[in-house]
Amino acid sequence: MSVPKIILSASDKGIWRIPALSYAINRFWPSHPEVIILGYSKPDFELDNNFSFVSIKEEDRGPRFWAEDQIDFFESFGDEYFINWLDDYLLISRVWEDKLEFYCRQIDFHPEIDVIHISGSHCNELDRWGERLSWGEEHPTVLLKDGFTFNLSLQASLWRSSSYLKALNIARDRNLDIWQFEKKINPSGEFKVAIPIQEPEVCQTLPLYVSEISVQTCPRFFKKTKREDPICTVCYEENHPDRMGFGFLSKYPRHGERFKPEKQIMEEVKNLLSKHCPHDHCLLK
């Protein structure tokens, strides 16, 4: 079974992260999957051979319109499944392609399943929030109960294309932005979501936020560091490696040493982020 295409949603504000994301994907993902970037303005840097760019609209009108802007693409998208990815999530571990192949078979065999998360979960006690599926002891997986917060998270997931298109239409009709989608798109359990509960999962990701923080939004950090100028949140996470955010060379707190990124790969990721970061106050520069 071939690896499904990755559809990577990128905003004009976040497309600067693509060189770092593509480097990590091609180092941690042995088969170098095909990646289609859905964005707006064409990137001003060269893409890797397995990456392509599709401009879905001339203007990036912001997160309120992200669902509406993607509908035309997915109405003509011919693949039955795809892997959903966002430009603010970085791959930080090897991809277990045998596990991904297993979950591709499961979503094929079980038409009632709309999406399978492949990059971990928001909850350490998933048995309380779901019902165990009979998919074998080697791949313990739960079907999430209705009402589980973020049960339709846009983090790295294997989606049935028809289900995703249906969700986009609902988001457009309800005028949901990209964050409201995760909380409000599935309150009645219309979409059936499965999630692996075995460590390691198929892969691990960490967030790469694009905004800046200031003394007004994070006073304790600025008091401790005696800084006055704002800094971008990528830099902030670098200074807080024990947080859930992006500590470049630190271990991933929830899973321990087995997910510690390879230092050489993450150093290059750091270099690429510093090269392309648009913030004037980036500490990585």
Side-chain angles (χ1 to χ4, degrees):
M1 180 176 291
S2 59
V3 176
K5 295 182 180 71
I6 296 174
I7 307 297
L8 195 161
S9 301
S11 66
D12 280 353
K13 288 185 177 180
I15 200 162
W16 65 273
R17 291 170 288 203
I18 295 299
L21 298 182
S22 63
Y23 179 84
I25 287 173
N26 283 334
R27 288 299 300 270
F28 284 127
W29 207 310
S31 63
H32 295 179
E34 180 180 351
V35 181
I36 301 174
I37 302 168
L38 300 187
Y40 298 90
S41 302
K42 186 177 180 180
D44 58 2
F45 47 80
E46 187 175 347
L47 297 174
D48 288 338
N49 292 334
N50 56 320
F51 279 67
S52 61
F53 179 83
V54 174
S55 178
I56 51 177
K57 294 289 181 182
E58 291 184 3
E59 178 186 1
D60 183 351
R61 299 176 292 170
R64 177 69 66 182
F65 299 94
W66 75 276
E68 178 181 335
D69 291 347
Q70 290 194 0
I71 287 174
D72 285 348
F73 173 84
F74 279 99
E75 283 183 338
S76 60
F77 184 61
D79 294 14
E80 192 170 359
Y81 319 106
F82 73 98
I83 295 171
N84 186 58
W85 210 281
L86 299 178
D87 66 7
D88 59 358
Y89 275 87
L90 177 73
L91 181 64
I92 64 161
S93 74
R94 64 165 286 188
V95 175
W96 299 82
E97 293 194 289
D98 57 337
K99 293 189 176 187
L100 177 59
E101 183 176 350
F102 171 82
Y103 287 111
C104 287
R105 291 198 302 270
Q106 295 308 309
I107 201 170
D108 191 35
F109 295 156
H110 298 278
E112 72 279 7
I113 301 294
D114 297 292
V115 56
I116 301 176
H117 290 305
I118 62 171
S119 63
S121 71
H122 294 281
C123 178
N124 290 327
E125 299 177 341
L126 281 168
D127 278 330
R128 292 175 51 198
W129 292 95
E131 137 188 20
R132 283 285 186 117
L133 295 169
S134 56
W135 289 0
E137 294 183 0
E138 293 185 3
H139 302 279
T141 308
V142 298
L143 181 68
L144 294 184
K145 295 178 182 177
D146 301 348
F148 180 76
T149 305
F150 291 106
N151 71 346
L152 215 56
S153 169
L154 289 169
Q155 293 186 33
S157 304
L158 176 64
W159 272 86
R160 192 179 303 277
S161 300
S162 58
S163 300
Y164 188 73
L165 178 59
K166 180 179 179 180
L168 290 177
N169 278 285
I170 294 174
R172 178 198 59 190
D173 295 344
R174 296 179 185 172
N175 199 28
L176 302 179
D177 65 29
I178 195 167
W179 299 287
Q180 292 171 328
F181 175 93
E182 294 189 314
K183 290 187 176 182
K184 298 181 178 181
I185 197 71
N186 200 31
S188 61
E190 183 174 3
F191 296 94
K192 300 304 179 184
V193 184
I195 186 167
I197 58 174
Q198 182 184 53
E199 300 174 7
E201 295 95 349
V202 175
C203 64
Q204 284 293 317
T205 59
L206 280 180
L208 278 175
Y209 302 113
V210 71
S211 60
E212 291 190 339
I213 62 171
S214 65
V215 66
Q216 286 78 27
T217 58
C218 197
R220 284 191 294 178
F221 171 76
F222 282 84
K223 182 178 181 180
K224 180 180 178 180
T225 59
K226 298 181 180 179
R227 292 186 56 84
E228 296 180 357
D229 294 332
I231 62 173
C232 73
T233 47
V234 170
C235 306
Y236 175 65
E237 301 298 354
E238 168 69 354
N239 283 273
H240 287 73
D242 294 329
R243 296 184 72 242
M244 192 66 175
F246 186 61
F248 286 99
L249 304 178
S250 67
K251 65 183 180 182
Y252 188 56
R254 189 162 63 88
H255 293 298
E257 289 293 327
R258 75 174 71 180
F259 284 111
K260 186 171 183 179
E262 295 181 31
K263 185 172 183 179
Q264 184 178 358
I265 294 177
M266 298 309 289
E267 283 285 7
E268 182 58 27
V269 167
K270 183 175 178 179
N271 292 337
L272 289 167
L273 287 170
S274 66
K275 177 180 178 181
H276 294 280
C277 183
H279 297 104
D280 294 334
H281 303 291
C282 183
L283 300 183
L284 301 180
K285 293 184 182 294

